[in-house]
Structures are given as structure tokens and as C-alpha cells.
Amino acid sequence: MTKIKPQRDVNGAGKKQPAVQGIAEQLGLKPGQSIELLKALHILTRDGKMNQDSRRKLKQVYHLYQFIEPLLAELSQNEHTVSLADHGAGKSYLGFILYDLFFKQLGRGRIYGIETRAPLVEASQQLAAHLGFERMAFLNMSVADSTHADAMPERFDIVTALHACDTATDDAIAFGLEKKARAMVLVPCCQAEVAACLRQSKALQLSRTPLAELWRHPIHTREIGSQITNVLRCLYLESQGYQVTVTELVGWEHSMKNELILARYTGQKKRSAAERLQQLLAEFGLDASLQHRYPLLAAADAKQA
């Protein structure tokens, strides 16, 4: 793995780079944001420029930061050491920018990045050490495995998952519930599990209900599968005591994976949400396939029996 080298003040051609303040103003960066970090993440080039793809990526992270920062500010009051788990971290754009813009100035709190690809974890560890981001940790494991990993704290304040693919978002929700997270910020991606279940039972459902016309064509199967998946996730969170808000992350021109689920723990478990979830599973023929995704519902039913 190539070590990250500090940025020089002069390019190979001998031309000085633009002043840091000038770059920040030109690109609309946040006050105090590390130019060196953005270059190390390849969001900025060595001479402080940004391509269109990088602008989209940074715009997504900034928008997500606007939702997370108020939660961090609230939960870090009274000298509380706030903890955040970032699932499916990838190159840890979100984690590094959260640390740079909030945790660094706060002087306390920790971020844990969970990622299955070892080279990305190693690169993030090197970058954190290079920048002196001492309260960042990176773990090479799946979201599901991290729930009971010894290296993880028993409790977390905030759980994030930006574009965690398919069932990794469900695993992040299970992690948050196990760790009694006070807030979850989720941007789901590539939901395929429900669509696969709908395809398997399509013929039976077409004979049973006209609703099956909603997923008769393959493109509709994918779209309705994604929609059902997120609706079930929201109901599950509400059934476990979370207040849920669903909104857009950024404009659709920037990303098609654009649904943002914000969940804040209130302790008010909605029985109606649990009932609706079960009804939807039955209506779409998903009972047998998806019951394992909602173990806390079964546990609650067992207690009441």
C-alpha cells in the first residue's frame, strides 16, 4: 500500500498552488475544512480542482452532514462522548468529513467505520493516522458481524449507512437496535431481496390478487421491490420506538439512490406499525421469506402470548 505523502506547496512545474482560502471559497467548502483531506480522498486534485463526479459526491456528503450535524450537536451536550458507527463505509468519505467538520473541533467522541474490503480499511487507517484523526477506528468486517464484535462498544449514539447495498441496510438497522442507537441515518441502495421474493411467487400472486400487476413486468418488480423494502424498514423502526422521517437526500439529478430515512428514538413503540408490517408481508406473499428480518416483532408477540 502506497503511503500518503504530505501535499507540497509547489507543483512539479514550479507554479504555486492557489491559496487555501481561495480554493475553499471557490469550491464552496465549509469553514475550517481540511484541503489536504479532500485531496487525500481524491475529491480535489493536487492543484485544488474538482471534477463533476467529485462535486456530486461532495454534494451528497454535505447534504447528509446537514442532517447529522444537529443530531451530533444535541447528543454531545453535557460533555457526552458521542459515538457514531458508519456502516458500508467504503473509502469513508462521510466519516472523514464528519470528523473534520465536527469531531475535530469538539475534541471528544469516536467514529467507527465498518467495511468488508480490506484495502479500503487499510487506506482509511493510514489516512486517519496521517491526519492525526486519532478518534477514528476502521474495522474490516461485515455489518452483520460487527453487531457482536468485541472491538465495538455496547452502545452507539448514531448509526449511519450511506448507500449500503441490498440487505446491508437491514443489517445496519439490526445493529442500531442492538446497540440502542439514539438516531439512525440511512440512505438505502440496490434493494434486491424483496424483488427476488416477488419474482418467485409472481404466478401465484397474479392468480390471487390484482395487486400483483404492480410487479408483473421486470422493471416494475425492481421498483416496487425497492419501495416495499423501505416501507417495511420504516414500519419496523416505528414499531421499535423510533420516530421516522423519509425525505430526499439530494436532487435526483445527482443520485438515483436518493431516499433518506431518518429515525430518532423516542421510546414510543407503535403497535399499529407492527401490525401493518405483518399485514403487508402477508398481502405481498413475503411472510416466509422475510420474517427473519424482524426478530424483535416475533419476540414481542411471544411475550404477549
Side-chain angles (χ1 to χ4, degrees):
M1 180 70 65
T2 304
K3 292 186 177 180
I4 299 163
K5 297 180 180 179
Q7 302 298 322
R8 297 179 180 178
D9 293 331
V10 179
N11 291 330
K15 182 180 178 181
K16 290 185 178 180
Q17 293 186 22
V20 170
Q21 184 63 29
I23 295 174
E25 291 178 355
Q26 179 184 358
L27 299 176
L29 304 183
K30 304 293 184 184
Q33 188 161 15
S34 170
I35 300 296
E36 185 179 0
L37 169 62
L38 296 181
K39 289 180 179 179
L41 292 174
H42 303 294
I43 291 175
L44 291 180
T45 62
R46 284 184 175 272
D47 58 356
K49 295 181 179 179
M50 185 186 298
N51 62 33
Q52 194 59 35
D53 182 61
S54 293
R55 286 182 185 277
R56 283 194 296 268
K57 190 175 299 180
L58 192 59
K59 186 179 180 69
Q60 289 181 47
V61 174
Y62 275 172
H63 273 265
L64 198 54
Y65 177 77
Q66 290 175 358
F67 289 103
I68 298 173
E69 190 274 336
L71 296 173
L72 289 170
E74 176 187 334
L75 297 177
S76 62
Q77 291 178 1
N78 301 319
E79 301 300 315
H80 176 67
T81 301
V82 66
S83 56
L84 182 146
D86 181 26
H87 287 294
K91 295 181 180 179
S92 295
Y93 292 107
L94 176 61
F96 277 115
I97 289 177
L98 284 173
Y99 194 100
D100 189 41
L101 294 180
F102 188 87
F103 284 79
K104 185 170 64 176
Q105 289 84 350
L106 185 67
R108 63 181 185 277
R110 292 187 66 85
I111 294 178
Y112 292 79
I114 308 354
E115 172 57 46
T116 57
R117 290 165 288 182
L120 297 184
V121 172
E122 185 179 348
S124 293
Q125 290 169 338
Q126 287 190 8
L127 179 55
H130 172 72
L131 295 171
F133 289 5
E134 298 176 351
R135 288 171 284 110
M136 293 190 78
F138 301 92
L139 303 176
N140 180 206
M141 60 181 63
S142 69
V143 179
D145 290 342
S146 70
T147 303
H148 302 289
D150 293 337
M152 302 292 277
E154 292 184 4
R155 299 284 296 272
F156 271 92
D157 293 297
I158 300 178
V159 172
T160 65
L162 175 56
H163 294 160
C165 281
D166 199 13
T167 59
T169 299
D170 298 294
D171 292 336
I173 291 173
F175 176 97
L177 294 174
E178 176 71 22
K179 300 294 186 179
K180 296 179 172 54
R182 298 166 72 182
M184 300 190 215
V185 183
L186 312 166
V187 181
C189 181
C190 307
Q191 298 98 314
E193 185 179 41
V194 169
C197 296
L198 292 174
R199 280 193 293 269
Q200 290 175 357
S201 62
K202 187 177 296 186
L204 175 63
Q205 296 301 320
L206 280 168
S207 65
R208 188 181 70 86
T209 171
L211 282 177
E213 292 293 335
L214 292 173
W215 66 93
R216 178 161 63 92
H217 299 287
I219 188 172
H220 293 157
T221 304
R222 185 179 68 236
E223 291 172 354
I224 197 70
S226 177
Q227 182 78 354
I228 292 171
T229 300
N230 286 339
V231 169
L232 294 174
R233 287 166 174 164
C234 293
L235 289 172
Y236 189 40
L237 286 164
E238 289 176 338
S239 75
Q240 300 307 308
Y242 286 81
Q243 181 184 47
V244 176
T245 302
V246 183
T247 187
E248 290 182 358
L249 174 59
V250 290
W252 292 104
E253 71 275 13
H254 295 288
S255 174
M256 293 304 292
K257 307 299 182 184
N258 201 32
E259 189 167 334
L260 172 62
I261 300 173
L262 294 168
R264 299 192 57 169
Y265 187 72
T266 64
Q268 301 296 315
K269 296 184 177 182
K270 292 186 178 180
R271 182 170 179 79
S272 60
E275 292 172 350
R276 287 294 177 91
L277 192 159
Q278 297 285 16
Q279 289 166 357
L280 285 176
L281 290 176
E283 182 65 34
F284 289 96
L286 300 170
D287 321 53
S289 302
L290 293 189
Q291 280 290 357
H292 68 287
R293 290 279 167 218
Y294 317 107
L296 296 181
L297 294 185
D301 292 340
K303 284 183 180 180
Q304 294 175 359

